[in-house]
Amino acid sequence: MQKTAIITGILGQDGPYLAKLLLEKDYRVFGLMQRHSAPNFENTDWLGVTDKIEFVTGDMTDEGSLLHLVRSIRPAEVYNLAAQSFVGASWDLARVTTEVNSLGVLHLLNALKYHQPTGKFYQAATSEMFGNNHDNGVQTETTSFRPRSPYGISKVYAYWMTVNFRESFGMHTSNGILFNHESPIRGKEFVTRKISDAVAKIKLGLQDKIMLGNLDAKRDWGFAGDYVEAMWMMLQQPEGGDYLVATGEPHSIREFLDLAFKHVGIDDWSDLVGIDPRFKRPAEIHALKGSPQKATETLGWKPKVSFEELVAMMVDADLERQRVKAETPAFSVKAV
Ligand code: NAP
Ligand code: G4F
């Protein structure tokens, strides 16, 4: 029988990659999107899945919309990817971040408990929950949480609520503690895409310089396409669980910049990058390095795309976007 899945956050970065994976596995995919006056399907278009997803309108902050969603679809699997996911904005948007990322998850778990308790649930947890905590330089599933942003704090609540529904009601709920993962459809506010977009424009003479914050922070960056496979694998296990998904390879923003500029033939980029304190965080996480050992041993998951391939993929995609834009005739309005 065909399986049915709901993906929240369908128009973000991970939603379209996960939808593509599930559609290839012959799932019927429902995508929850917020009500927008002008919805942006650029990311689902990029992956060629817009016409295959059944879009439904709802909101993580509106419990009634989630109850209705689960009651009418009765999904076999729910992947909760919706979030106010930008750490940098979460200090100014602490309440919205909490309502969407914490209470929204409670609403969705309740909807499943009441209307589809056998449905399996995936929660998009994050390495931001660790803050600067580590065990001998590495984060694992047992490293204690010490979040440093309202975003991280909101995700810790959701993490424990997901565990609690498993322990209290026997539901199949899982947390994927995913480390940073990127792709050509990453939002432009995140540092990797901000860099790949700027490097393409600088190479083509469309931008002079890129302004950034802390270049010394290190992140464990992987490819979104690889990480959505781990999400699916978690829900195919006999029981729910909590899994860390990472490459185990940290790199600094400086290293990302260096590879991106070198990819377009620019070896000395010192004059092309400036520092703007506005892009620095009130509280920074200095370095993240995750061990995916449990995911590898239990799920059989491994990252496939290397850091170097990821940087090249993102820069090439932004160069291609600029090429297409340049070849598209400008819309001209006739004077009447
Ligand atoms: P993203 O690109 O920011 O996508 C998040 C999606 O959530 C957006 O499509 C957004 O809708 C939607 N959303 C926001 N508020 C909502 C609301 N009130 N109701 C319904 N939908 C709402 O994030 P992503 O990179 O795909 O990440 C997916 C999930 O993984 C997020 O929960 C994120 O926190 C988590 N995560 C991401 C990473 C990473 O490195 N990418 C790592 C760890 C965890 P609009 O499109 O309408 O704005
Ligand atoms: O790309 P970022 O904004 O990602 P961040 O904060 O690590 O969060 C992402 O990964 C988390 C998983 O660890 C997710 F949970 C979360 O939803 C999101 O997807 O920033 C990465 C690093 C930070 O240290 C930041 O201070 O880059 C540094 N940075 C330096 N200059 C900058 C900039 N970040 C941004 N966004 N913009 C800058 O100009």
Side-chain angles (χ1 to χ4, degrees), residues 4-295:
T4 300
I6 293 174
I7 302 175
T8 72
I10 191 69
L11 299 181
Q13 172 188 250
D14 292 2
Y17 277 103
L18 179 62
K20 187 167 191 288
L21 179 79
L22 297 186
L23 287 163
E24 283 165 4
K25 294 184 185 297
D26 199 34
Y27 278 63
R28 189 170 173 197
V29 175
F30 290 87
L32 180 88
M33 53 185 267
Q34 302 181 77
R35 192 263 159 190
H36 280 290
S37 55
N40 182 350
F41 294 96
E42 208 179 308
N43 291 350
T44 49
D45 284 348
W46 179 271
L47 289 174
V49 291
T50 309
D51 295 342
K52 302 180 187 89
I53 295 168
E54 297 177 56
F55 291 99
V56 283
T57 307
D59 200 296
M60 296 303 291
T61 61
D62 186 330
E63 189 170 17
S65 75
L66 302 179
L67 285 165
H68 174 65
L69 177 77
V70 172
R71 195 178 50 213
S72 51
I73 296 171
R74 301 204 191 269
E77 296 172 11
V78 175
Y79 296 86
N80 181 39
L81 309 184
Q84 189 305 91
S85 77
F86 186 38
V87 175
S90 71
W91 281 271
D92 288 337
L93 297 175
R95 181 173 176 153
V96 168
T97 302
T98 307
E99 284 175 354
V100 178
N101 300 3
S102 304
L103 292 180
V105 180
L106 175 60
H107 297 329
L108 193 48
L109 282 164
N110 269 332
L112 262 181
K113 180 184 148 199
Y114 294 131
H115 296 298
Q116 180 66 341
T118 55
K120 298 176 183 175
F121 179 79
Y122 173 86
Q123 166 58 16
T126 165
S127 42
E128 272 285 314
M129 300 188 304
F130 297 120
N132 285 320
N133 273 4
H134 56 82
D135 295 306
N136 301 318
V138 185
Q139 287 94 18
T140 72
E141 286 85 357
T142 57
T143 302
S144 56
F145 299 145
R146 187 26 175 115
R148 303 255 295 161
S149 64
Y151 169 82
I153 295 165
S154 71
K155 288 282 187 172
V156 170
Y157 173 93
Y159 175 94
W160 286 117
M161 210 38 103
T162 299
V163 171
N164 190 255
F165 271 63
R166 186 193 315 145
E167 291 178 351
S168 307
F169 310 119
M171 288 168 61
H172 192 300
T173 63
S174 294
N175 281 293
I177 309 174
L178 269 53
F179 282 53
N180 299 51
H181 47 279
E182 320 292 312
S183 75
I185 57 169
R186 181 62 143 151
K188 280 191 198 165
E189 67 272 44
F190 300 96
V191 76
T192 54
R193 180 75 198 291
K194 184 173 170 181
I195 294 172
S196 64
D197 178 64
V199 165
K201 287 180 180 155
I202 290 170
K203 173 68 182 172
L204 300 172
L206 301 168
Q207 185 173 324
D208 297 331
K209 210 170 170 159
I210 175 171
M211 301 304 290
L212 295 167
N214 176 14
L215 304 189
D216 296 315
K218 289 189 173 175
R219 289 292 180 271
D220 179 330
W221 280 298
F223 171 51
D226 289 346
Y227 284 37
V228 298
E229 288 184 7
M231 298 177 187
W232 176 77
M233 287 169 166
M234 286 175 215
L235 298 208
Q236 311 318 306
Q237 298 306 301
E239 287 175 358
D242 309 308
Y243 299 88
L244 190 155
V245 180
T247 68
E249 224 189 86
H251 295 277
S252 66
I253 317 299
R254 222 176 269 285
E255 285 173 79
F256 195 103
L257 276 165
D258 197 49
L259 278 182
F261 274 113
K262 284 197 171 130
H263 188 66
V264 298
I266 300 173
D267 287 343
D268 180 6
W269 44 268
S270 48
D271 291 340
L272 303 175
V273 177
I275 302 299
D276 185 333
R278 284 179 305 168
F279 296 119
K280 292 193 171 165
R281 307 263 161 96
E284 177 66 283
I285 294 183
H286 303 300
L288 289 170
K289 177 183 177 179
S291 164
Q293 195 181 341
K294 179 180 173 188

